[in-house]
Amino acid sequence: MICVLRPPLGIFVVYMCEWEKRPKSNHRPSIPLVCAWSCRNLIAFTTDLKNEEDDKDLSHMIHIIDTEHPWDVYSINSGHTEVISCLEWDQSGSRLLSADGDGQIKCWAMTEHLVNSWESTQSSSVDGDPIVALSWLHNGVKLALHVEKSGSTNFGEKFSRVKFSPSLTLFGGKPMEGWLAVTVSGLVTVSLLKPNGTLLSASESLCRLRGRVALADIAFTGGGNIVVAATDGSSSSPVQFYKVCVSVVNEKCRIDTELLPSLFMRCTTDPVRKDKYPAVTHLKFLTRENSEQVLLCASSQMGSIVECWSLRKEGLPVNNIFQHRSPVVGEKQPMILKWRILSATNDLDRVSAVALPKLPISISNTDLKVASDTKFCPGLGLALAFHDGSIHILHRLSLHTMGMFYGTSGSSQRVGDEPAIKRQRAGGPTVHFKALQFSWTSLALVGVDNHGKLNMIRVSPSMGQMLDMNTLLRHLLFLLEYCMVTGYDWWDVLLHVQPSMVHNLVEKLHEEYMRQNQALQQVLSTRIVAVKASLCKLSSATAARACDFHAKLLLIAISSTLKSLLRPHVLNTPDKSPGDRLAEICAKNTDTDIDKVMINLKTEEFVLDGPPLQSLQQLIQWVGDFVLYLLSNLPNQGSIVRPGFGFLRDGPSLGMLREMMVMIRIWGLLKPGCLPIYTATSDNQDSMSLLFRLLTKLWLCSRDESHPQEPDETLLDECCLLPSQLLVPSMDWLPINDGVITKIQSKHQLRLQFGKPYTLPGLNPNSQMEIFSRSPASQRMDNLRCLHMGISPTEDSKACTRCGCVTMLRSPNKTNAMKQWEQRWIKNCLCGGLWRKIPHSLS
C-alpha cells in the first residue's frame, strides 16, 4: 500500500495503522479531517468513515493514540452533533480542545492520568456558528533554538528563553488559562478558566462589518496580543488581519479588536494566473509565536500555488510638496507596516494538507547559514501533501524543495527519480493525506488519509543529504538536549538512532550534561537517566545498561523518599537536613563496619513510628536485594555485559546504597519487621553487616571517578562465596517494553491494525536481549511498589507508554508513607512517561 523510498530522499513510512475492516464511505460528502500531535507524543485525529455494521458515524469521534502503541486507539464518543473541524493540544500535552460545525467547543482531560481514558471537563458554544480556527491562550513560555550555538557547552546558550508575555495574566503575573476561537460569521469567542474551575466567556465581532470567514488562523505577539488572520475563501478577496486583546474587567471578560494591514495574494494580480486559482484553501501563520509570517495556498480543481508573506516596517513616502521644508531636529521618517511577499512556488499539483514545523529554530541569518552548512534541516521545512498521494517538504522561507515522498494508489510503486509526468495514475480515487502534522522536533510526520489509515513517516534530520557520522550524532544530540531541557518526549528523535550510534550518543550526552552548572544538573538528573535508558534499549549490545538506568531511577526515587521521612530532633532549623548529614558522614567515614558508621549519627533523627516503616518494607527489601544481586554478580562481570555492570564504576550510586543500608540498620533497631529478609545458610549470619562490608570495599574502588580502581582479589573471592551464604534473588527490575520503537530502526515499514496488539517477534535466546524476556509462568511484578502480583493478575493495571513499567491502578496500601510514595507517580512514570491502562491479559 505504501512505497518506501530510497534513503537519499530522507522521508519514508515507519508504520501504518488502519481499521481491520475498512468501513464503506461511498456517497458521503468530503469531510475535512483534522489531526494534532502533542509534545508528549500523543496524536488525536478524526476520520471520514461510517461503520456499516453498527451504523456508527466515526466522523463525530475523536481517536487518540500514543506513538509507541499506535494500535491501542482510544475512540471518544465526542458528543459533537456536527463534524469536528478543529483539534488543539495545550502546551503541556495533557488536555485537548475539540470544536465542530455547530459552534460547540469541548475541553478533554485524562481520567486518572491515563492516555487511553478521557472525559470532557469544560465546554463552551457559539450556537449554530461553525468554528474555523481554535487555539489555547499563550502561557508566555517561549524558547529559541540556536543552531549557531549547537557546539556550545552551555544549554542556556543553545536554548534561550525569549521574552514573551502571556495572553492574559492573573494576580502576580501567572498566566490565565483559556482558549480562543474564530467562527465562520466573523466572531471571535474567548473562554477563560478561572482558578475556581468556572468558565468565563465572551464573544466579539472581528470588525464592525462582519463577513463570512472561510479560513482563519491564530498567532501571538511578544506583547501579549493575539493576531487573527481571516479570509472569505476567495483568492480575489483580501486576507484580513486583526489584533485581539483579551482582558478581565469587573469579573467580566472583555475583547477589543483592531484592524491590521491586509494583503492580496500575488497570484490574483499576475495576468497569467489571474483566474487560475479562485479559492484560498490553506491559511496558516508559519509559527504560533510569529504573527509576521503567513503561508497562503490558492487552489483550483487541477492544481495549487503557495505563497509566503512577511510583515515589514517601511518608510512612508512623503509628497513632493513637503520635501523641501527644513526638517525638525530629531524628526524621523514616518513608518508603516506592510505585507511583502517573501517567496512563491511555481504551479503545483492540488494541495490536500499542510503541516508546519513546531521546532522553534531561530531564523536569524547566522543560524540559517550554519543550518545550511551543517545540513541541519529540522524546523526549516514545511510539508505539503498533494492529491496524488505525494508529500513535498519545502524550505519555510524560500519554498524550494528539500525532500519528497511519493505515496501509491493501489499496489503500484513509484520510483523516486522517475519524472512526475511519466507516472502512471491508477484508476479510481487516489489515496492522499487529508490531515498532516509534524512532531515537536520535526523529525516525523503523521498523516491521516482518505481511507482512514494513519501513517507515521520518518523525516531525516539532513533531509536525505549524506552526512558523516559525527555530524549526524551532533544533530541528534542537539535535539535530545532540547527535549531534556523542555521536558518534551523524545520518541521521534529515537526514530533516527541506529544501534551502532547508541554507545556514542550516551557517552556524548553524559559529557554535555556534566558541563552544566550544578543547579541545572540537579533539575535534569532523572531526565537524562531516562533518556539514556530509552537509547540503550535500541541496541542488543547496550540492553543490559538499560536495566542499570531503570534501576538507578528507582534507586534515586527510593533514596529521596526515605530521606524525606527524616526530621531534625530540635525545632530550630539546622544548617543541614538529616539526609544531608547522613550523606556527608557516610562519604567521610570509610569504615567497613556498619555499626561504627552508625555511631557517628544522631540516631534520634531517625526515630519513626512503626506503621510507616512497616509499610515501606517492600522498598527496603528491594534495596537489600539489589545490593546482594550486585555483589554476587561482581565476579561474573567480564566480556559479557550483564545487568548491574554499570554500577561497578558508579561511585555516587554505590554511596547512595551505602547510605540507605546505614539508615535501614538504624530503623531495624526500632522496628525489626522493616528489615530486608535474607535466606541465609547459617543462623548466626549477620547479613547486613556482611553486605555493607563488601559494598564499602567496592565503593572505595570507584568513589574517585577520575581514577577508578579494579576490585582486588580478596573482594572478588568474598563475592564468589555470597551465593553459598545467602540466597540470591532474581531481579526483574527491567519492565517489558511492548512498543514499536525497538522494531523500526530498519527501513521496512510496519503494517498494523487498530485494536490488534502488535506481537513482537520471538527474541533469540542466545542474544543479550534475553534479559527482556519473561516466561509465561513467571510472576508479574508491580515495578513501582516492588510487589509480586502473581502469574495471572486480577487487578487493573497501568503501564508506562515509554518504558513499559507496570503498576496496579488501585493502591492496596492505606498508610500515609506508602501513599506519599504512590502520589509521586500519579501523573508520570519513573522515567517521565505517561500511563495507559492495560487489560488483565497483558498485565
Side-chain angles (χ1 to χ4, degrees), residues 22 85 145-146 215 265 313 362-363 375 457 477 611 625 668 670 680 692-693 706 715 755 776 802 809 816:
R22 185 181 299 162
S85 56
L145 184 144
H146 302 280
L215 295 171
M265 289 192 69
K313 279 186 178 181
S362 171
I363 54 173
K375 300 176 183 176
I457 301 169
L477 181 67
D625 287 346
L670 305 171
F692 184 83
R693 180 167 57 83
S706 57
L715 176 58
R802 180 184 292 159
L809 197 58
N816 290 332

mmCIF file of all heavy atoms in Angstrom, residues 22 85 145-146 215 265 313 362-363 375 457 477 611 625 668 670 680 692-693 706 715 755 776 802 809 816:
data_model
loop_
_atom_site.group_PDB
_atom_site.id
_atom_site.type_symbol
_atom_site.label_atom_id
_atom_site.label_comp_id
_atom_site.label_asym_id
_atom_site.label_seq_id
_atom_site.Cartn_x
_atom_site.Cartn_y
_atom_site.Cartn_z
ATOM 1 N N ARG A 22 -12.261 -2.091 6.622
ATOM 2 C CA ARG A 22 -12.424 -0.709 6.185
ATOM 3 C C ARG A 22 -13.893 -0.397 5.956
ATOM 4 O O ARG A 22 -14.526 -0.970 5.079
ATOM 5 C CB ARG A 22 -11.632 -0.470 4.899
ATOM 6 C CG ARG A 22 -11.657 0.967 4.445
ATOM 7 C CD ARG A 22 -10.879 1.114 3.165
ATOM 8 N NE ARG A 22 -9.483 0.730 3.373
ATOM 9 C CZ ARG A 22 -8.658 0.434 2.393
ATOM 10 N NH1 ARG A 22 -9.083 0.471 1.154
ATOM 11 N NH2 ARG A 22 -7.415 0.105 2.648
ATOM 12 N N SER A 85 -14.176 20.113 13.410
ATOM 13 C CA SER A 85 -13.384 20.927 12.477
ATOM 14 C C SER A 85 -12.014 21.301 13.019
ATOM 15 O O SER A 85 -11.122 21.638 12.248
ATOM 16 C CB SER A 85 -14.146 22.213 12.134
ATOM 17 O OG SER A 85 -14.465 22.932 13.324
ATOM 18 N N LEU A 145 15.722 28.075 19.632
ATOM 19 C CA LEU A 145 16.775 27.082 19.448
ATOM 20 C C LEU A 145 17.802 27.649 18.471
ATOM 21 O O LEU A 145 17.455 27.990 17.340
ATOM 22 C CB LEU A 145 16.141 25.792 18.915
ATOM 23 C CG LEU A 145 17.017 24.569 18.722
ATOM 24 C CD1 LEU A 145 16.224 23.325 19.073
ATOM 25 C CD2 LEU A 145 17.469 24.466 17.277
ATOM 26 N N HIS A 146 19.048 27.783 18.915
ATOM 27 C CA HIS A 146 20.089 28.443 18.115
ATOM 28 C C HIS A 146 21.035 27.391 17.538
ATOM 29 O O HIS A 146 21.841 26.809 18.260
ATOM 30 C CB HIS A 146 20.872 29.438 18.970
ATOM 31 C CG HIS A 146 20.009 30.496 19.589
ATOM 32 N ND1 HIS A 146 19.583 31.609 18.895
ATOM 33 C CD2 HIS A 146 19.479 30.605 20.833
ATOM 34 C CE1 HIS A 146 18.836 32.368 19.687
ATOM 35 N NE2 HIS A 146 18.761 31.780 20.863
ATOM 36 N N LEU A 215 -11.646 30.632 6.168
ATOM 37 C CA LEU A 215 -10.407 30.125 6.769
ATOM 38 C C LEU A 215 -9.866 31.173 7.723
ATOM 39 O O LEU A 215 -9.987 32.377 7.483
ATOM 40 C CB LEU A 215 -9.351 29.849 5.694
ATOM 41 C CG LEU A 215 -9.620 28.751 4.670
ATOM 42 C CD1 LEU A 215 -8.562 28.790 3.592
ATOM 43 C CD2 LEU A 215 -9.648 27.393 5.334
ATOM 44 N N MET A 265 -3.324 38.173 -2.455
ATOM 45 C CA MET A 265 -2.393 37.185 -2.977
ATOM 46 C C MET A 265 -1.839 37.647 -4.322
ATOM 47 O O MET A 265 -2.566 38.218 -5.151
ATOM 48 C CB MET A 265 -3.074 35.825 -3.125
ATOM 49 C CG MET A 265 -3.382 35.157 -1.790
ATOM 50 S SD MET A 265 -3.874 33.430 -1.981
ATOM 51 C CE MET A 265 -2.331 32.672 -2.512
ATOM 52 N N LYS A 313 8.299 46.677 8.389
ATOM 53 C CA LYS A 313 8.174 48.127 8.564
ATOM 54 C C LYS A 313 8.845 48.817 7.391
ATOM 55 O O LYS A 313 9.981 48.496 7.039
ATOM 56 C CB LYS A 313 8.823 48.578 9.867
ATOM 57 C CG LYS A 313 7.964 48.377 11.096
ATOM 58 C CD LYS A 313 8.632 48.986 12.311
ATOM 59 C CE LYS A 313 7.738 48.821 13.541
ATOM 60 N NZ LYS A 313 8.364 49.426 14.750
ATOM 61 N N SER A 362 15.758 29.349 15.495
ATOM 62 C CA SER A 362 15.962 30.769 15.220
ATOM 63 C C SER A 362 16.234 30.959 13.732
ATOM 64 O O SER A 362 17.001 30.208 13.131
ATOM 65 C CB SER A 362 17.144 31.291 16.043
ATOM 66 O OG SER A 362 17.492 32.597 15.650
ATOM 67 N N ILE A 363 15.590 31.952 13.129
ATOM 68 C CA ILE A 363 15.749 32.157 11.684
ATOM 69 C C ILE A 363 16.575 33.406 11.405
ATOM 70 O O ILE A 363 16.380 34.090 10.411
ATOM 71 C CB ILE A 363 14.386 32.233 10.971
ATOM 72 C CG1 ILE A 363 13.481 33.295 11.616
ATOM 73 C CG2 ILE A 363 13.704 30.890 10.949
ATOM 74 C CD1 ILE A 363 12.199 33.531 10.852
ATOM 75 N N LYS A 375 23.893 21.127 7.214
ATOM 76 C CA LYS A 375 22.771 20.322 6.713
ATOM 77 C C LYS A 375 21.824 19.912 7.839
ATOM 78 O O LYS A 375 21.323 18.800 7.888
ATOM 79 C CB LYS A 375 23.285 19.086 5.974
ATOM 80 C CG LYS A 375 24.170 19.435 4.765
ATOM 81 C CD LYS A 375 24.746 18.201 4.117
ATOM 82 C CE LYS A 375 25.667 18.581 2.972
ATOM 83 N NZ LYS A 375 26.318 17.410 2.364
ATOM 84 N N ILE A 457 5.505 8.779 9.345
ATOM 85 C CA ILE A 457 6.554 8.945 8.341
ATOM 86 C C ILE A 457 7.778 9.563 9.002
ATOM 87 O O ILE A 457 7.671 10.568 9.715
ATOM 88 C CB ILE A 457 6.061 9.839 7.185
ATOM 89 C CG1 ILE A 457 4.829 9.196 6.540
ATOM 90 C CG2 ILE A 457 7.156 10.061 6.154
ATOM 91 C CD1 ILE A 457 4.101 10.099 5.586
ATOM 92 N N LEU A 477 22.124 14.618 19.018
ATOM 93 C CA LEU A 477 22.442 15.025 20.386
ATOM 94 C C LEU A 477 21.823 16.388 20.694
ATOM 95 O O LEU A 477 21.267 16.599 21.784
ATOM 96 C CB LEU A 477 23.960 15.080 20.548
ATOM 97 C CG LEU A 477 24.493 15.463 21.927
ATOM 98 C CD1 LEU A 477 24.156 14.382 22.942
ATOM 99 C CD2 LEU A 477 25.999 15.694 21.869
ATOM 100 N N PRO A 611 4.234 2.047 61.930
ATOM 101 C CA PRO A 611 3.470 1.820 60.688
ATOM 102 C C PRO A 611 4.141 2.334 59.425
ATOM 103 O O PRO A 611 4.175 1.606 58.428
ATOM 104 C CB PRO A 611 2.141 2.548 60.971
ATOM 105 C CG PRO A 611 2.013 2.518 62.453
ATOM 106 C CD PRO A 611 3.393 2.623 62.993
ATOM 107 N N ASP A 625 17.857 -6.502 48.348
ATOM 108 C CA ASP A 625 18.033 -7.488 47.270
ATOM 109 C C ASP A 625 18.971 -6.966 46.191
ATOM 110 O O ASP A 625 19.765 -7.727 45.623
ATOM 111 C CB ASP A 625 16.673 -7.831 46.651
ATOM 112 C CG ASP A 625 15.819 -8.691 47.572
ATOM 113 O OD1 ASP A 625 16.367 -9.227 48.554
ATOM 114 O OD2 ASP A 625 14.604 -8.818 47.310
ATOM 115 N N GLY A 668 15.993 -0.774 61.746
ATOM 116 C CA GLY A 668 15.817 -2.163 62.173
ATOM 117 C C GLY A 668 15.896 -2.325 63.676
ATOM 118 O O GLY A 668 15.303 -3.251 64.238
ATOM 119 N N LEU A 670 14.641 -0.152 65.695
ATOM 120 C CA LEU A 670 13.346 0.335 66.192
ATOM 121 C C LEU A 670 12.217 -0.606 65.810
ATOM 122 O O LEU A 670 11.282 -0.830 66.584
ATOM 123 C CB LEU A 670 13.061 1.732 65.616
ATOM 124 C CG LEU A 670 14.128 2.808 65.854
ATOM 125 C CD1 LEU A 670 13.800 4.053 65.049
ATOM 126 C CD2 LEU A 670 14.197 3.144 67.336
ATOM 127 N N ALA A 680 19.522 -17.177 54.655
ATOM 128 C CA ALA A 680 20.936 -17.468 54.905
ATOM 129 C C ALA A 680 21.121 -18.936 55.234
ATOM 130 O O ALA A 680 20.204 -19.612 55.723
ATOM 131 C CB ALA A 680 21.458 -16.600 56.045
ATOM 132 N N PHE A 692 27.255 -4.818 53.818
ATOM 133 C CA PHE A 692 27.774 -3.458 53.952
ATOM 134 C C PHE A 692 29.299 -3.446 53.828
ATOM 135 O O PHE A 692 29.877 -2.551 53.197
ATOM 136 C CB PHE A 692 27.346 -2.861 55.291
ATOM 137 C CG PHE A 692 27.757 -1.424 55.470
ATOM 138 C CD1 PHE A 692 27.008 -0.391 54.946
ATOM 139 C CD2 PHE A 692 28.938 -1.105 56.158
ATOM 140 C CE1 PHE A 692 27.391 0.931 55.095
ATOM 141 C CE2 PHE A 692 29.331 0.218 56.304
ATOM 142 C CZ PHE A 692 28.555 1.238 55.780
ATOM 143 N N ARG A 693 29.951 -4.458 54.408
ATOM 144 C CA ARG A 693 31.407 -4.525 54.343
ATOM 145 C C ARG A 693 31.876 -4.677 52.898
ATOM 146 O O ARG A 693 32.792 -3.978 52.441
ATOM 147 C CB ARG A 693 31.899 -5.695 55.214
ATOM 148 C CG ARG A 693 33.414 -5.865 55.226
ATOM 149 C CD ARG A 693 33.830 -6.818 56.344
ATOM 150 N NE ARG A 693 33.185 -8.103 56.218
ATOM 151 C CZ ARG A 693 33.619 -9.099 55.409
ATOM 152 N NH1 ARG A 693 34.700 -8.898 54.668
ATOM 153 N NH2 ARG A 693 32.989 -10.249 55.373
ATOM 154 N N SER A 706 37.634 9.924 38.669
ATOM 155 C CA SER A 706 38.722 10.210 37.719
ATOM 156 C C SER A 706 39.778 9.106 37.708
ATOM 157 O O SER A 706 40.471 8.910 36.704
ATOM 158 C CB SER A 706 39.367 11.552 38.051
ATOM 159 O OG SER A 706 39.850 11.560 39.384
ATOM 160 N N LEU A 715 38.246 -9.183 47.535
ATOM 161 C CA LEU A 715 36.837 -8.796 47.383
ATOM 162 C C LEU A 715 36.119 -9.738 46.417
ATOM 163 O O LEU A 715 34.987 -10.171 46.682
ATOM 164 C CB LEU A 715 36.751 -7.353 46.894
ATOM 165 C CG LEU A 715 35.352 -6.808 46.595
ATOM 166 C CD1 LEU A 715 34.464 -6.887 47.824
ATOM 167 C CD2 LEU A 715 35.421 -5.365 46.096
ATOM 168 N N GLY A 755 -6.701 -1.735 17.293
ATOM 169 C CA GLY A 755 -7.378 -2.704 18.142
ATOM 170 C C GLY A 755 -6.702 -4.053 18.230
ATOM 171 O O GLY A 755 -7.114 -4.890 19.030
ATOM 172 N N PRO A 776 6.076 -17.460 30.448
ATOM 173 C CA PRO A 776 4.639 -17.288 30.733
ATOM 174 C C PRO A 776 4.272 -17.598 32.177
ATOM 175 O O PRO A 776 3.297 -17.063 32.707
ATOM 176 C CB PRO A 776 3.980 -18.266 29.757
ATOM 177 C CG PRO A 776 4.988 -18.476 28.669
ATOM 178 C CD PRO A 776 6.315 -18.364 29.317
ATOM 179 N N ARG A 802 6.361 4.712 27.670
ATOM 180 C CA ARG A 802 7.746 4.840 27.225
ATOM 181 C C ARG A 802 8.572 3.612 27.587
ATOM 182 O O ARG A 802 9.218 3.015 26.730
ATOM 183 C CB ARG A 802 8.372 6.095 27.835
ATOM 184 C CG ARG A 802 9.821 6.319 27.429
ATOM 185 C CD ARG A 802 10.399 7.528 28.141
ATOM 186 N NE ARG A 802 9.784 8.767 27.690
ATOM 187 C CZ ARG A 802 9.788 9.891 28.373
ATOM 188 N NH1 ARG A 802 10.346 9.927 29.565
ATOM 189 N NH2 ARG A 802 9.228 10.982 27.886
ATOM 190 N N LEU A 809 -3.398 -0.164 39.227
ATOM 191 C CA LEU A 809 -4.143 1.074 39.088
ATOM 192 C C LEU A 809 -4.659 1.552 40.437
ATOM 193 O O LEU A 809 -4.645 2.742 40.745
ATOM 194 C CB LEU A 809 -5.309 0.860 38.111
ATOM 195 C CG LEU A 809 -5.966 2.089 37.519
ATOM 196 C CD1 LEU A 809 -4.964 2.942 36.773
ATOM 197 C CD2 LEU A 809 -7.101 1.685 36.590
ATOM 198 N N ASN A 816 -0.014 6.393 55.234
ATOM 199 C CA ASN A 816 0.365 7.658 54.614
ATOM 200 C C ASN A 816 1.724 7.585 53.929
ATOM 201 O O ASN A 816 1.941 8.206 52.887
ATOM 202 C CB ASN A 816 0.377 8.772 55.671
ATOM 203 C CG ASN A 816 -1.025 9.120 56.147
ATOM 204 O OD1 ASN A 816 -1.987 8.947 55.405
ATOM 205 N ND2 ASN A 816 -1.137 9.588 57.382
#
